[in-house]
Amino acid sequence: MSLHPRRSRWRTQWATVVWLTVVWVLLWGDLSVGNVLAGGALALLVTTGLRMAPIQFGGRVRLRGLAVLVGRFVLDVVRASAEVSLIALRPRYTPHGAVIGVQLRSHSDLYLTLTAELCSLVPGSLVVEAHRLTGMLYLHVLDVNVSGGIEAARRTVLEQEERVLRAFASDEELREAGVTA
């Protein structure tokens, strides 16, 4: 029996502990020995006490795709924040919200999760349900009129998924999802 898979798993876990510790220190905004130790202890507790099923990543990080994903996400957040602010400040305006279903093209839990999280982080939309087996996302859109209609809102989610795939998917995963490389 080889110890290599176990060693690889522990290496990944330690990388997660380090990452969670860094996030803890950044959230507290105080780089001190006590804060690093507390963050490390909490990270160890989380990674050992809350075991999660591993998510397979067969893709690769594409820097150009990642830059496009991050840049477009920032633009979407700024634009949507302005739109939501205008909706909130308009007297007697009632937004026309809707729950829409979007069938994603990828069958990966990782890409479904990334797409759902990025969509939820943009003001004015919120993922209310994600079907892992079917790859279906259900989102609440604050105002479909501002979004350009239901089909435009669906297209926005599919474009977000495509940016995620172009940033992280393998060539094979891109082909399977119908996205040209």
Side-chain angles (χ1 to χ4, degrees):
M1 182 172 174
S2 171
L3 294 177
H4 181 66
R6 175 172 278 165
R7 199 173 344 161
S8 174
R9 183 186 64 162
W10 283 105
R11 188 175 307 133
T12 302
Q13 183 174 345
W14 282 109
T16 304
V17 168
V18 170
W19 172 247
L20 289 173
T21 303
V22 168
V23 169
W24 175 267
V25 170
L26 289 174
L27 286 173
W28 281 100
D30 177 31
L31 181 59
S32 65
V33 174
N35 205 16
V36 171
L37 290 175
L42 187 60
L44 276 171
L45 181 69
V46 167
T47 56
T48 57
L50 302 174
R51 282 297 206 199
M52 300 293 288
I55 294 179
Q56 299 298 322
F57 178 68
R60 65 177 207 213
V61 177
R62 293 181 159 102
L63 294 180
R64 183 174 187 274
L66 184 60
V68 169
L69 175 68
V70 170
R72 180 59 192 266
F73 174 71
V74 169
L75 287 174
D76 287 346
V77 167
V78 170
R79 179 193 45 78
S81 296
E83 289 173 356
V84 169
S85 297
L86 289 174
I87 289 171
L89 295 174
R90 288 170 77 182
R92 292 184 294 270
Y93 177 75
T94 303
H96 300 285
V99 174
I100 62 169
V102 181
Q103 179 65 54
L104 298 182
R105 296 168 287 201
S106 171
H107 300 291
S108 165
D109 290 347
L110 177 63
Y111 305 136
L112 175 120
T113 302
L114 285 171
T115 302
E117 290 300 323
L118 289 171
C119 288
S120 283
L121 288 171
V122 174
S125 64
L126 179 68
V127 174
V128 292
E129 190 170 350
H131 283 261
R132 179 176 170 244
L133 297 176
T134 63
M136 187 74 134
L137 282 183
Y138 293 95
L139 294 93
H140 179 269
V141 179
L142 177 64
D143 193 348
V144 290
N145 295 337
V146 171
S147 301
I150 291 173
E151 288 308 313
R154 280 193 182 106
R155 253 190 330 275
T156 299
V157 174
L158 291 172
E159 288 167 358
Q160 183 71 279
E161 179 197 26
E162 184 173 333
R163 287 189 293 274
V164 166
L165 291 171
R166 289 187 186 280
F168 300 112
S170 67
D171 292 336
E172 182 181 335
E173 289 170 322
L174 287 171
R175 276 192 304 277
E176 287 175 3
V179 176
T180 56

